[in-house]
Amino acid sequence: MVPDSVAERAAFLREKIEYHNHRYYVLDDPEISDQEFDVLFRELAAIEAEHPELDDPNSPTKRVGGEPAEGFIPYEHALRLYSLDNAMDLDAWYAFHERVAKGVGTSDVAYWADPKMDGLALEVIYENGRYVRGATRGDGLVGEDVTGNMRTVMNLPMTLHGGDVPELIEVRGEVIMSNKDFAALNARQEEKGDKVFANPRNAAAGTIRQLDPKVAASRPLRFMAYGVGRVQWAGRGADWATQQELMEGLRGLGFAIPPDVKLCASAREVADYFQKLMAMRATLPFEIDGMVAKVNDRGMQEALGYTSRAPRWALALKFPAHQTRTRLNAIRIQVGRTGVLTPVAELEPVELAGVVVSNATLHNKGYIAERDLRVGDTVLIQRAGDVIPQVLSADLEQRPDNAEPFTFPDTCPVCESPAVEDGERVVCTNPACPAKTVQRLIHFVSKAGLDMEGVGKQWVRKLAEDGVLNTPADLFTLKKTDLLKYERMGDKSAENFIKAIQKAKEVAPLWRLIAGLGIRHIGEQAARALAARFKDLDALFASTLDELTELDGIGGIMAESILDFRVDASNRAMIEQFKEAGLHPEGGPAAAASDDAPLAGKVFLFTGTLPVTRDEAHAMVEARGGVPVKSISKKVDYLVAGEKAGSKVAKAEKLGIEVIDFAAFKALLEGKTAARQKSLLDF
Ligand code: IVH
């Protein structure tokens, strides 16, 4: 028997974690830090491990993916999932509106406009507020049961929110991958030598149809609700009289709905909004291929009904395709920080979706061979997501007679050392290849590494090419005079450059340093996992293969890669140089728990204008074991108020939270006690 109190605690934790998942993934407005979240999560996981009787497939701990499946079981939808008729221009839109007006007997029709998301259509089913099933659209009548994989979609509620939930609800929507997540996934795939996806839609579809839910869990998908199938409420009839109410209802139940939805009072407003949305297209975080306009009044929707394939009350207004043709002028080979030779297409500049495109990635040797792309070809290119465009195919009819198949080089174009095949990749064999040095340095200062704002990529390249910088450690001994030798470097820029490096040295948390080293297969996620386990770089590099692979998120290939990195004497020397320069951030469980960390467990909130950015301030707190948060609550220990601090100061005062200025914060970082800042409160 599980004691009541334990069962209650588990229920409490599940609700709390679901709540914070919603704040993070749906509202994009977290209330607690990742560390605070981890504490809740770990407590729940520990209870569940000790009390298997409390098992619940919808527990937040199950969202990391269950056992692999052998195949997908067909699922017959209770109500058909219709398709949509398309309009390729506004004339077709107005013609649709005429038909609607005729059907409902008035031209005074309001429409609800959604972005048309380019993902995979899906239905999720809830009984008495609990998630019970997810199924793909399939042919509209029968889809595939993907219940397990949909659990790993973090913005999907496992329990519906609010006191008033339907007995049964079938929610329809689109599963998508954001452009950013898509680019990151492809970069990971490419680094691992795995297949890259052509666009976010394919990545989303491929992920949902993964037989191993753990793989699905490792690829961030989102569900955006846009409609419903069956909805049954206990003891009452139809709710939600309009599409707008329906969407607000879905949001209230905990679903994410697409951004930039709009109620339009007339057909004209729909047309205007279509133009606006088209202009916004490139700035949206995910791919959309048009707009869907729906008659807002659900009574009218019912009166209009359906054709055999689509509703008569909704229309997809499509954007022109993000594809075009141009000439492949040359294939250039770039060498990356791990020595991989990446082919890049040099294209005849052409406009595509509002930007001029002159380069496109060709991924690897196999990609060119499979498509038989030849210099001189007319190629079809497309922009998918917010990434560099891709070359899809060559137009054989337009191929010039003298076009030769492309021969991939077997020497490095930078240092001329032999280049060898390694899976799908071709790599330069020279460990000291100058291209690697440059790319490693650029990676080290970039957002993926120490994030040194003010240290320009072009300058790093120049300094590396001139031999001023050879390894990342050289950055820390760089002097202003080294920079001022360059005519184009002004006094102020040189000063900012040096300051940015010094600042990074002070604030960089251990995970950034690990990620910045550019160890193969070790990106941000892995670096964070390592920094949470090891006290510092020395401890990390003293670890054994077993210790590494025991960690969540660190696989055998990653562990070996870490050990390979350590074997290299020049890497070990670099780490010593970091320490000598004073770059020695500490991590490990001790950073959060022990008293050695001056801010251990203390919760900080920042407000007003500060001498550093918010990200930097948060990093300073994290580096010393503290917990940065973004909103005020009783849990906050210190409110650090800069200039023009707003209402948070008064709120903090009310909650009895200590308010300090930046100088006092700096003193705290050094382990001194903060003096309460009266002056700020006296305003
Ligand atoms: S409404 C009965 N709204 O477009 C209404 N569909 O071409 C049918 N889609 O299979 C769908 N965004 O996958 C609707 N905001 C949106 C949509 C949307 C994308 C997809 C959906 C559907 C396809 C039809």
Side-chain angles (χ1 to χ4, degrees):
M1 261 294 282
V2 183
D4 281 357
S5 57
V6 174
E8 271 170 30
R9 182 70 188 161
F12 168 81
L13 289 167
R14 284 172 184 166
E15 196 180 322
K16 221 174 158 77
I17 293 171
E18 170 89 18
Y19 170 80
H20 289 298
N21 271 338
H22 182 256
R23 299 238 28 138
Y24 188 91
Y25 291 104
V26 181
L27 305 180
D28 196 16
D29 182 21
E31 264 175 17
I32 61 174
S33 69
D34 293 358
Q35 289 94 325
E36 289 175 289
F37 183 88
D38 282 349
V39 169
L40 298 172
F41 195 92
R42 275 203 293 266
E43 185 187 345
L44 177 59
I47 295 180
E48 289 177 350
E50 210 171 303
H51 300 283
E53 317 85 289
L54 292 175
D55 189 49
D56 179 344
N58 286 350
S59 171
T61 56
K62 298 286 163 64
R63 305 190 82 154
V64 291
E67 292 304 306
E70 285 183 6
F72 292 110
I73 301 164
Y75 174 77
E76 196 172 329
H77 297 287
L79 296 180
R80 177 174 181 160
L81 275 79
Y82 282 89
S83 187
L84 285 170
D85 283 334
N86 290 328
M88 304 310 286
D89 55 36
L90 287 177
D91 288 347
W93 160 248
Y94 285 112
F96 170 86
H97 171 63
E98 292 290 312
R99 291 197 295 280
V100 167
K102 213 178 205 175
V104 298
T106 168
S107 59
D108 185 12
V109 183
Y111 291 95
W112 177 258
D114 289 331
K116 185 170 190 302
M117 293 158 291
D118 202 5
L120 183 75
L122 222 118
E123 178 168 87
V124 280
I125 307 177
Y126 293 76
E127 287 170 8
N128 299 313
R130 284 175 55 85
Y131 169 72
V132 294
R133 189 178 306 285
T136 61
R137 172 178 182 272
D139 64 2
L141 297 171
V142 180
E144 284 178 325
D145 189 319
V146 289
T147 308
N149 279 349
M150 281 304 286
R151 270 204 187 92
T152 70
V153 176
M154 292 305 291
N155 74 341
L156 187 74
M158 290 294 101
T159 309
L160 297 183
H161 298 205
D164 186 25
V165 303
E167 278 181 331
L168 169 73
I169 185 165
E170 295 171 341
V171 179
R172 276 108 186 249
E174 201 84 353
V175 170
I176 56 164
M177 189 178 286
S178 75
N179 294 331
K180 201 170 132 209
D181 289 335
F182 166 70
L185 170 63
N186 261 0
R188 284 204 303 274
Q189 294 285 104
E190 197 150 359
E191 180 145 336
K192 279 192 289 184
D194 284 348
K195 169 178 155 239
V196 293
F197 295 97
N199 52 49
R201 208 199 84 78
N202 287 4
T207 300
I208 272 304
R209 299 201 67 259
Q210 260 295 324
L211 289 171
D212 185 352
K214 289 205 170 57
V215 174
S218 72
R219 300 183 188 164
L221 295 178
R222 299 287 175 261
F223 178 78
M224 297 276 177
Y226 57 62
V228 291
R230 290 183 298 169
V231 188
Q232 289 159 14
W233 300 87
R236 76 182 132 114
D239 255 33
W240 303 331
T242 62
Q243 192 70 25
Q244 183 180 29
E245 283 175 22
L246 184 158
M247 294 298 275
E248 273 157 16
L250 290 179
R251 187 162 32 199
L253 291 173
F255 292 94
I257 65 169
D260 304 301
V261 292
K262 183 176 158 70
L263 181 63
C264 301
S266 65
R268 177 65 205 278
E269 259 187 42
V270 170
D272 289 348
Y273 190 56
F274 174 69
Q275 305 285 7
K276 254 199 206 138
L277 203 58
M278 186 145 55
M280 279 157 59
R281 181 183 190 184
T283 66
L284 290 183
F286 52 85
E287 284 280 281
I288 65 174
D289 56 350
M291 177 175 113
V292 184
K294 301 168 184 174
V295 171
N296 191 43
D297 187 300
R298 295 185 82 214
M300 286 186 185
Q301 290 183 1
E302 208 173 314
L304 288 160
Y306 297 81
T307 67
S308 62
R309 61 164 244 124
R312 290 200 181 85
W313 46 266
L315 190 69
L317 287 77
K318 301 272 283 205
F319 295 147
H322 268 176
Q323 287 187 347
T324 188
R325 273 160 210 282
T326 188
R327 185 172 178 280
L328 177 59
N329 288 336
I331 295 177
R332 180 176 76 234
I333 305 287
Q334 283 180 347
V335 186
R337 71 169 204 276
T338 50
V340 177
L341 272 54
T342 303
V344 177
E346 290 186 3
L347 304 164
E348 190 58 33
V350 61
E351 198 188 306
L352 181 58
V355 296
V356 175
V357 172
S358 49
N359 287 301
T361 174
L362 293 171
H363 300 294
N364 53 43
K365 183 177 174 179
Y367 191 92
I368 302 175
E370 277 158 30
R371 289 159 186 78
D372 185 21
L373 304 174
R374 303 184 184 189
V375 173
D377 272 341
T378 297
V379 291
L380 180 65
I381 62 167
Q382 98 172 350
R383 265 183 72 199
D386 202 10
V387 287
I388 0 175
Q390 289 168 333
V391 177
L392 297 177
S393 58
D395 185 343
L396 296 184
E397 282 179 13
Q398 297 200 45
R399 173 166 288 168
D401 292 340
N402 61 355
E404 296 282 337
F406 182 70
T407 347
F408 204 89
D410 53 12
T411 55
C412 171
V414 177
C415 70
E416 290 171 6
S417 309
V420 296
E421 292 200 19
D422 172 17
E424 298 230 335
R425 316 149 1 127
V426 175
V427 258
C428 167
T429 48
N430 174 8
C433 173
K436 290 186 197 174
T437 309
V438 173
Q439 295 305 330
R440 262 178 95 176
L441 274 157
I442 290 177
H443 172 80
F444 187 79
V445 304
S446 78
K447 266 196 165 36
L450 266 70
D451 194 15
M452 295 185 182
E453 225 177 297
V455 178
K457 189 167 125 183
Q458 294 314 330
W459 276 111
V460 171
R461 182 188 300 279
K462 182 94 192 106
L463 291 163
E465 281 167 2
D466 292 355
V468 181
L469 296 176
N470 290 304
T471 83
D474 295 340
L475 282 160
F476 302 99
T477 50
L478 196 65
K479 286 182 291 300
K480 203 169 143 184
T481 46
D482 296 327
L483 298 170
L484 289 173
K485 288 184 189 134
Y486 292 90
E487 246 176 52
R488 282 180 22 245
M489 177 67 89
D491 195 67
K492 191 80 201 152
S493 310
E495 199 169 309
N496 287 342
F497 200 100
I498 302 286
K499 259 196 197 150
I501 297 170
Q502 294 311 320
K503 191 182 217 172
K505 192 170 79 183
E506 266 182 41
V507 305
L510 179 58
W511 75 263
R512 279 202 175 276
L513 179 58
I514 296 173
L517 295 176
I519 305 173
R520 219 179 128 195
H521 305 305
I522 306 296
E524 173 175 340
Q525 263 174 19
R528 282 185 186 270
L530 294 167
R533 163 71 177 74
F534 295 102
K535 189 172 154 280
D536 53 22
L537 281 187
D538 290 337
L540 167 62
F541 290 118
S543 60
T544 63
L545 195 69
D546 285 349
E547 278 170 337
L548 290 168
T549 47
E550 257 169 30
L551 294 179
D552 252 359
I554 305 294
I557 297 177
M558 290 180 176
E560 275 173 25
S561 180
I562 294 169
L563 300 187
D564 282 351
F565 185 88
R566 170 181 72 185
V567 169
D568 190 323
S570 60
N571 288 333
R572 288 203 305 274
M574 178 171 75
I575 288 160
E576 286 307 311
Q577 281 172 288
F578 283 152
K579 270 195 278 182
E580 279 161 28
L583 175 65
H584 186 227
E586 295 202 345
S594 102
D595 296 336
D596 304 346
L599 309 185
K602 294 282 184 224
V603 178
F604 285 81
L605 174 68
F606 295 86
T607 187
T609 315
L610 300 167
V612 296
T613 67
R614 282 293 187 278
D615 279 351
E616 285 162 359
H618 288 183
M620 291 162 97
V621 170
E622 278 176 355
R624 285 150 183 97
V627 178
V629 294
K630 289 190 180 157
S631 58
I632 198 151
S633 75
K634 274 192 293 207
K635 288 204 199 108
V636 174
D637 292 303
Y638 297 100
L639 175 69
V640 183
E643 277 169 39
K644 300 200 196 103
S647 61
K648 283 202 183 118
V649 174
K651 270 194 208 148
E653 163 87 308
K654 228 186 239 161
L655 293 171
I657 296 166
E658 190 153 346
V659 180
I660 57 176
D661 65 6
F662 195 74
F665 169 65
K666 288 280 278 192
L668 265 183
L669 293 185
E670 283 148 29
K672 297 172 194 147
T673 331
R676 204 181 176 101
Q677 255 285 319
K678 280 274 186 274
S679 59
L680 270 168
L681 302 172
D682 290 342
F683 278 154

